[in-house]
Amino acid sequence: PGNLGYLDCQERRKARETLSSYTSSQIRSIVIALQGSEICYGSRMYDISSLTKKGIIDYIMSTTWDPAHYLRSALAEDKPGITFAKGEVTSALRFERKFWTASGGRKRKIPWWPKDGSREMETLTEAFESVVHFVQPEGGTGIHLGDGKILTCAHVISVDKDDEGHPSNSSQRVGRKKLVMFPSGKILAAKCVFAMETEDGRYDCATLQLENPAKEIFPSTSELENGETYRDLSGKHRCFCVGNPSNIDLESEESGNNDFEPRVWHLSHGMTHGNSQNAGLKGCIHSCWTYWGHSGAPIFSVSGKIIGIHSSWDPDTGARLCVELERIREFLNSQPASS
């Protein structure tokens, strides 16, 4: 452990040396593939053609290498798979004094969590292993549905030039490429093939297609819940969430990192609480604890099937919101066959 800082520096220097061996045109094409030609560098927007080779390498290191290194380090050190198997969870949010708040304190085991080694636990483990984290500073989470298809929130597919994460038209998200990481540590490129979003948040969905859909790379898949029970989520149903909180503290005026436990593939649980009554923020309220990087994180039923994806929160009440099952079904059914 005492040498970790030294090893990190060595790895970072080696990565820079590798990038330096490429031509300016080659490293520029890497950035354009992920961000387009307009990027935010040092709090200002630039056309990538105006940056030096060193500037482009600095940008790649801070927006790609650093997030990937953080995710892999947290995977190795925190071992979120073990935490998940034990059902050790961040407690559900509580509604007190007209605001949803986190209870804090030490982790507890979910009372209804299946025993390790049981068939039910095998199903939940496959759901866990199908959750992906987006390799980008702002975080983001998604879920592998099978055949290389990733489901997430549309606003996760953002680039530097977007206005607060929103392009002028949601169709502009289509064609963008992102890097996603599985719990195995494997990183794959994925291309956005379809997106649908509305201002009120009723729809905030996107699908991406992995560019190398080899089954041995990502064997685990997850599927949508079926049956009438979860059709509208108007009743209270037990649920759990696995997501990427993000290591950036966006609630403090001072720059700093968070130290959640685990920092990645974080398990939380709660209940569904019906639809939001806020006209400007639609979706189903759930009480699973989430943070900024949880956008796109799957909300699972007790059987490990998808009943929603976390999409936003209500700053007036602290309520967490998800795009509910029926909206996801409508989104997937409206996706053109060509995509």
Side-chain angles (χ1 to χ4, degrees):
N3 292 325
L4 281 179
Y6 171 76
L7 293 174
D8 288 350
C9 291
Q10 290 286 85
E11 291 177 10
R12 204 173 196 283
R13 184 164 64 222
K14 185 177 180 180
R16 288 192 67 95
E17 290 173 353
T18 300
L19 286 171
S20 298
S21 68
Y22 298 157
T23 66
S24 296
S25 177
Q26 287 174 321
I27 59 173
R28 191 175 293 117
S29 67
I30 295 173
V31 176
I32 291 175
L34 296 174
Q35 280 288 344
S37 59
E38 297 177 61
I39 62 173
C40 182
Y41 178 67
S43 75
R44 289 179 55 191
M45 293 299 296
Y46 290 89
D47 187 287
I48 194 170
S49 61
S50 66
L51 290 181
T52 63
K53 183 177 181 179
K54 178 184 178 300
I56 300 172
I57 291 175
D58 287 344
Y59 179 84
I60 293 175
M61 293 299 293
S62 64
T63 61
T64 304
W65 191 91
D66 287 345
H69 180 72
Y70 169 80
L71 292 175
R72 279 190 170 149
S73 298
L75 266 175
E77 295 167 13
D78 296 2
K79 297 177 173 56
I82 294 177
T83 303
F84 181 86
K86 293 179 179 178
E88 294 178 350
V89 69
T90 296
S91 298
L93 302 178
R94 294 183 298 183
F95 192 63
E96 298 177 341
R97 298 179 181 178
K98 298 182 180 181
F99 201 85
W100 290 92
T101 57
S103 58
R106 64 183 182 85
K107 287 186 174 293
R108 295 177 172 84
K109 183 171 182 177
I110 303 177
W112 50 264
W113 204 245
K115 293 182 179 180
D116 195 14
S118 66
R119 181 176 297 180
E120 291 81 4
M121 192 64 231
E122 290 178 5
T123 302
L124 297 195
T125 299
E126 184 160 352
F128 171 86
E129 292 177 349
S130 63
V131 176
V132 300
H133 287 0
F134 282 79
V135 183
Q136 54 188 10
E138 60 271 32
T141 311
I143 183 76
H144 178 228
L145 300 178
D147 298 323
K149 181 184 289 186
I150 302 293
L151 172 68
T152 187
C153 282
H155 73 262
V156 173
I157 316 302
S158 62
V159 294
D160 289 352
K161 69 177 182 179
D162 290 345
D163 181 17
E164 295 185 353
H166 298 283
S168 57
N169 191 308
S170 62
S171 64
Q172 293 178 6
R173 300 193 193 275
V174 175
R176 293 177 176 177
K177 291 186 178 181
K178 292 291 181 181
L179 299 177
V180 296
M181 182 185 292
F182 282 80
S184 63
K186 288 280 189 181
I187 297 176
L188 296 172
K191 180 179 179 180
C192 181
V193 294
F194 190 52
M196 181 186 293
E197 56 193 317
T198 55
E199 289 188 9
D200 62 5
R202 185 183 300 274
Y203 294 94
D204 185 0
C205 303
T207 49
L208 301 91
Q209 186 66 39
L210 294 173
E211 298 197 326
N212 184 19
K215 188 172 179 61
E216 63 272 14
I217 295 178
F218 48 91
S220 295
T221 62
S222 191
E223 60 185 45
L224 302 183
E225 185 62 85
N226 51 35
E228 296 295 321
T229 304
Y230 298 94
R231 180 169 293 278
D232 60 9
L233 301 184
S234 59
K236 290 188 176 183
H237 303 285
R238 290 173 174 171
C239 58
F240 68 94
C241 178
V242 178
N244 173 15
S246 171
N247 68 319
I248 302 173
D249 188 350
L250 296 174
E251 296 180 352
S252 172
E253 294 182 359
E254 299 180 1
S255 61
N257 294 340
N258 293 308
D259 194 20
F260 301 119
E261 183 186 352
R263 291 168 288 170
V264 293
W265 280 269
H266 189 103
L267 174 64
S268 57
H269 82 123
M271 305 277 287
T272 61
H273 293 269
N275 293 320
S276 167
Q277 300 303 307
N278 186 330
L281 279 173
K282 293 300 183 182
C284 174
I285 296 173
H286 67 88
S287 56
C288 298
W289 176 85
T290 61
Y291 202 64
W292 298 99
H294 271 80
S295 292
I299 306 298
F300 292 109
S301 67
V302 294
S303 60
K305 294 183 179 180
I306 304 164
I307 60 173
I309 54 171
H310 173 74
S311 54
S312 60
W313 76 304
D314 187 337
D316 294 329
T317 64
R320 269 56 167 185
L321 302 171
C322 69
V323 180
E324 65 264 43
L325 181 61
E326 283 305 295
R327 303 291 84 76
I328 294 174
R329 287 191 188 281
E330 293 169 3
F331 163 73
L332 293 175
N333 290 337
S334 64
Q335 183 168 322
S338 59
S339 61

